[in-house]
Amino acid sequence: MKKEPFNSFVTAQFQFDKTADWLGLDLPARTLLRSPMKEHHFLIPLRMDDGNVRVLRGFRVVHNDARGPAKGGIRFHPQETIDTVRALAMWMTWKCALLGIPLGGSSGGVVCDPHFLSLREQERLCRAWVRQLPHELGPNVDVPAPNMMTSAQHMLWMLDEYEAPRGVKCPGFITGKPVGMGGSLGRAEATGFGVVFALREALKGLDLPADGTTASVQGFGNVAQHAVRLYEQLGGKVICVSCWDQKDDTSYAYKRASGIDVHALAAVTDRFGGINREEAKKMGYEVLPGESWLAQDVDILIPAAVENQITADNVGTIHPRVRLIVEGANGPTDIEADRLIAEKGTLIIPDILANAGGVTCSYFEQVQSNMNYYWEKDEVLGKLDVKLTSAFNSVLEFANKKSLSLRQAAFAIAVSRVVQACQDRGWI
Ligand code: NAD
């Protein structure tokens, strides 16, 4: 039988439907929340440096904004699809609700590969994306942020494009800005650190001291690198990381049984999280096929790359020793793999909880930008720890009380909060 191509939105809707059944939601609530409220699709004619024009496809989707202005990242990615954007917007709604952040969920992107765009072309693209949404973005409407292959520099160009015609400074328009230009200290670390705050709490429940545990990580970009750094500070050892190799158009895993040196490896990694294979070999890393990150003899797995990486086809390769899977990426585990892992009794900290440190810190950035007063890094990361730890413990308590998985519990809490907001506003 021919396999359907993976679609994150199918997963997101499946998760929602299951939660809606469990909560006993009525038809209006289900209909309103299982699809985005608003979608913008547009074409961006991009003038290239050589004078030619390329027409790129862009999106912005607001899933739900009952709890506050929408918030969500922008990806520049060759495999971007409207369904990925829809899924990310929906997951963002649940993340904000779960963390108790007064924001809704959105997401956006452009189908393009910034590896092949000059800086000036990227600047024109950022400005054009903002121009396509003249009334749909704003600090009280919908607040963008970086995601895969978009950076602080991209956010600054977008901010400038928003402010210029309005003749105002409006740093709360966007988050993920450079520090000193409205950005928050700690934003770079936030998602990866949040992953490890959740991991730390889960290990307590498993009675497994972090010191002495080992982990294998998929990805070596922003989320993965910061997660590895904090996990090592807790005494854990990462023996394998993986990344996409742009030149070879495939992924590789980099293994060192004595533990990776995150700083040295980061020094030979490009800004897209691609490790230089030859340099890594010289440093003593074994280079393995990309999927090997999943089969390592470790206690913890951290998928921190892209969607749909743990599937029914490869879930069987997970080593029996693995006790905990922490979803740094959005949607890394497909529906069937999720079921099989739960059957085995391995704990999964779901993405909407594990990687919510990013949006939590984005919210802190928005607050700081709106008052034009910026906190010290320790204050930001301390507040982040409090939020993540409290959300983790609420999910764990609810899961134990109702005999649910952490994923089911996290979705039940988040969805019921959004339903409540829609009801309180009189929408349903
Ligand atoms: P990034 O672009 O900095 O890094 C992505 C990493 O994944 C790179 O090392 C890349 O080589 C690797 N990769 C890509 N495809 C791969 C594959 N098929 N196999 C192995 N490695 C692969 O991105 P990031 O910001 O670290 O985000 C990673 C994930 O975390 C994404 O799913 C993103 O949506 C999610 N996330 C990010 C943030 C954030 O604040 N950056 C917040 C929440 C969720």
Side-chain angles (χ1 to χ4, degrees):
M1 200 172 69
K2 195 169 167 284
K3 252 177 110 176
E4 288 295 315
F6 175 72
N7 182 325
S8 304
F9 192 46
V10 172
T11 303
Q13 289 194 314
F14 173 85
Q15 292 164 334
F16 172 75
D17 290 342
K18 254 181 91 173
T19 311
D21 289 346
W22 192 83
L23 291 170
L25 296 187
D26 62 14
L27 189 61
R30 282 171 190 262
T31 313
L32 183 65
L33 292 174
R34 91 184 292 281
S35 301
M37 292 181 79
K38 295 176 206 168
E39 287 192 2
H40 306 285
H41 300 227
F42 42 89
L43 295 175
I44 302 177
L46 179 68
R47 178 77 55 191
M48 308 300 284
D49 292 344
D50 64 8
N52 287 322
V53 173
R54 273 179 57 197
V55 180
L56 304 176
R57 186 167 290 280
F59 309 109
R60 187 68 178 176
V61 166
V62 174
H63 170 255
N64 186 281
D65 59 2
R67 300 185 73 260
K71 182 92 195 73
I74 307 159
R75 286 183 179 186
F76 289 169
H77 200 278
Q79 267 97 49
E80 187 69 301
T81 66
I82 184 62
D83 277 338
T84 308
V85 178
R86 287 172 177 146
L88 290 170
M90 192 192 265
W91 286 327
M92 188 59 97
T93 305
W94 311 142
K95 258 181 236 186
C96 292
L98 186 61
L99 269 287
I101 296 170
L103 297 171
S106 60
S107 186
V110 178
V111 186
C112 69
D113 190 342
H115 287 95
F116 304 112
L117 297 175
S118 73
L119 274 182
R120 292 281 74 88
E121 288 163 348
Q122 291 179 44
E123 176 179 351
R124 287 196 285 274
L125 174 58
C126 288
R127 292 183 183 279
W129 189 85
V130 172
R131 282 200 304 276
Q132 290 292 336
L133 298 160
H135 308 296
E136 294 78 8
L137 301 173
N140 298 314
V141 185
D142 180 9
V143 179
N147 199 295
M148 282 178 72
M149 295 214 260
T150 50
S151 66
Q153 175 63 74
H154 295 122
M155 299 305 108
L156 193 55
W157 285 325
M158 289 183 177
L159 174 66
D160 191 65
E161 188 64 29
Y162 180 81
E163 290 177 339
R166 292 170 175 82
V168 291
K169 293 294 172 216
C170 196
F173 161 73
I174 204 160
T175 62
K177 303 179 290 294
V179 172
M181 293 296 288
S184 175
L185 290 168
R187 177 62 187 89
E189 291 87 346
T191 309
F193 275 31
V195 165
V196 177
F197 294 147
L199 178 157
R200 180 195 65 203
E201 295 306 305
L203 288 183
K204 285 182 195 162
L206 291 172
D207 210 12
L208 197 62
D211 194 359
T213 58
T214 51
S216 176
V217 180
Q218 188 188 36
F220 200 58
N222 171 276
V223 178
Q225 288 186 29
H226 287 103
V228 172
R229 284 186 181 149
L230 188 62
Y231 172 64
E232 288 188 344
Q233 281 175 31
L234 298 184
K237 185 169 77 178
V238 172
I239 63 157
C240 185
V241 296
S242 74
C243 72
W244 188 255
D245 188 293
Q246 186 65 26
K247 228 172 50 219
D248 293 3
D249 201 20
T250 188
S251 60
Y252 293 112
Y254 295 83
K255 179 174 180 179
R256 197 158 75 174
S258 59
I260 69 155
D261 178 340
V262 63
H263 300 281
L265 205 53
V268 298
T269 299
D270 66 25
R271 66 197 164 95
F272 301 108
I275 297 169
N276 182 317
R277 196 148 48 101
E278 293 314 311
E279 293 298 325
K281 270 190 200 161
K282 281 188 216 156
M283 289 153 80
Y285 289 88
E286 202 182 332
V287 182
L288 302 168
E291 282 225 335
S292 333
W293 77 277
L294 190 63
Q296 297 302 313
D297 177 1
V298 289
D299 306 296
I300 301 163
L301 293 173
I302 307 179
V306 282
E307 301 83 19
N308 195 37
Q309 295 302 301
I310 307 178
T311 65
D313 293 339
N314 65 17
V315 68
T317 67
I318 295 179
H319 197 280
R321 177 171 156 197
V322 172
R323 303 275 306 276
L324 177 64
I325 299 175
V326 193
E327 293 185 333
N330 287 307
T333 312
D334 80 6
I335 295 165
E336 183 59 5
D338 193 42
R339 194 183 62 76
L340 294 169
I341 292 167
E343 252 176 40
K344 263 179 52 184
T346 311
L347 194 65
I348 302 190
I349 309 181
D351 46 7
I352 63 166
L353 174 59
N355 71 33
V359 69
T360 305
C361 193
S362 278
Y363 165 59
F364 293 161
E365 178 178 333
Q366 216 187 334
V367 170
Q368 295 170 80
S369 288
N370 288 340
M371 60 181 178
N372 210 7
Y373 171 73
Y374 291 87
W375 311 333
E376 296 303 323
K377 189 172 190 169
D378 282 353
E379 190 178 350
V380 175
L381 295 176
K383 285 185 190 326
L384 186 69
D385 194 348
V386 170
K387 277 260 178 219
L388 256 294
T389 302
S390 148
F392 180 88
N393 288 323
S394 311
V395 171
L396 184 64
E397 197 185 309
F398 193 73
N400 288 339
K401 203 160 98 191
K402 303 285 182 186
S403 300
L404 297 173
S405 69
L406 292 185
R407 193 185 309 279
Q408 289 164 334
F411 271 82
I413 295 171
V415 172
S416 57
R417 287 181 182 166
V418 178
V419 170
Q420 187 69 51
C422 295
Q423 286 169 345
D424 290 349
R425 283 180 181 274
W427 290 357
I428 50 176

